Amino acid sequence: MNTLRTSLAVAALLACGLASAQTSGQTSTPAKPAAKPAAAAPAAKGGKGKLMTRDELRACMTSNQQNEDAGAELDKKKAVVLKERDELKASKAESDKFEADMQAQGTALKTEIDSVKAFGAEIEAGAAKMEKAELKAKQEEYQARANALQPKIDAFNKARNDRIEVNKAFNVRVDAHQKIADEFNEAVEDLNDKRNEWKFKCASRSYDEADEIAIKKEQNKK
């Protein structure tokens, strides 16, 4: 009598996910990866209990092969899921840098706006005491500074508005990835359950080697 053996289990699959967007105008933050699933252990040596019938052995061999096939498919999907996760993380990092740059630009722009406003208030307050030529020169300087400032304000506002659409598109992508990641994680958990069930029903059971040979011949004919 021999103890039923399973081939080397597929390596533990990395599960991952990204949190969906909190608001339509802000980019989402990647969530922490889910825990790794436990890999199936090889069958224990030394048979226990009653010898398996050929039908029982066939069922165990079939379920083991199905588990290995499912594990191989999940391994392929893992690469796709992780690639998308990494791309989203890179996009999030780029978005964070953009936001930091915009904050700096906004602060500098506000300082410049306040300076022009203060200059205008200064002209208005001292206009009565200025010579006509001096007042005219001050007003022209003020207008020149205001004219130079307006394109900066327009560019800043356009960048802000354009980014809203970029963030919306990113969040849609995050939501789609989250769904795929959740499905992947569920599939990993389901496979772990099936592996554990196989270990409970088959791993330590004894069987007749002649039955194993006969079953393999049946499978090769299909």
Side-chain angles (χ1 to χ4, degrees):
M1 294 190 298
N2 296 319
T3 300
L4 185 62
R5 297 180 295 275
T6 180
S7 59
L8 185 63
V10 176
L13 301 174
L14 291 173
C16 67
L18 292 172
S20 58
Q22 296 298 317
T23 63
S24 60
Q26 297 293 326
T27 53
S28 306
T29 302
K32 294 181 180 179
K36 294 181 181 179
K45 294 182 179 180
K48 295 180 181 179
K50 184 180 177 181
L51 186 71
M52 277 197 288
T53 65
R54 182 173 294 187
D55 287 341
E56 289 174 330
L57 177 60
R58 183 184 294 107
C60 283
M61 292 174 66
T62 298
S63 62
N64 183 59
Q65 186 59 52
Q66 289 172 343
N67 289 342
E68 291 190 351
D69 292 344
E73 285 301 312
L74 283 176
D75 210 28
K76 294 177 184 177
K77 290 181 181 179
K78 176 187 68 176
V80 176
V81 172
L82 295 183
K83 180 175 181 293
E84 177 69 358
R85 181 202 64 181
D86 291 343
E87 289 179 359
L88 287 172
K89 282 185 175 181
S91 294
K92 180 63 169 59
E94 185 276 331
S95 180
D96 289 345
K97 182 179 183 303
F98 173 85
E99 289 299 327
D101 290 344
M102 290 300 288
Q103 287 287 343
Q105 289 180 38
T107 299
L109 197 55
K110 184 178 183 303
T111 299
E112 193 171 352
I113 291 171
D114 290 343
S115 176
V116 172
K117 284 183 177 180
F119 183 58
E122 179 186 324
I123 294 172
E124 186 177 357
K129 299 178 182 179
M130 294 182 194
E131 295 291 335
K132 185 176 181 180
E134 181 185 4
L135 177 60
K136 184 174 182 294
K138 291 279 188 182
Q139 289 173 333
E140 288 177 350
E141 181 184 352
Y142 171 83
Q143 193 60 51
R145 289 174 63 180
N147 289 344
L149 184 59
Q150 191 58 50
K152 297 179 183 179
I153 296 173
D154 293 342
F156 179 85
N157 290 337
K158 183 178 185 304
R160 267 289 179 217
N161 291 333
D162 290 347
R163 196 65 188 190
I164 290 174
E165 296 306 314
V166 172
N167 288 348
K168 285 180 180 178
F170 175 82
N171 289 342
V172 168
R173 188 177 172 188
V174 166
D175 289 342
H177 176 70
Q178 183 66 61
K179 183 176 183 296
I180 293 173
D182 288 344
E183 291 172 351
F184 176 82
N185 291 341
E186 289 175 5
V188 169
E189 292 176 2
D190 182 61
L191 178 58
N192 282 340
D193 290 341
K194 289 179 179 178
R195 287 191 183 281
N196 289 332
E197 181 181 6
W198 184 92
K199 286 192 291 184
F200 177 75
K201 291 182 177 180
C202 305
S204 299
R205 297 285 303 279
S206 297
Y207 66 95
D208 192 318
E209 188 174 4
D211 287 339
E212 180 186 25
I213 294 172
I215 292 169
K216 287 182 177 179
K217 287 182 179 179
E218 292 173 5
Q219 293 173 339
N220 290 335
K221 289 180 181 179
K222 295 180 180 180

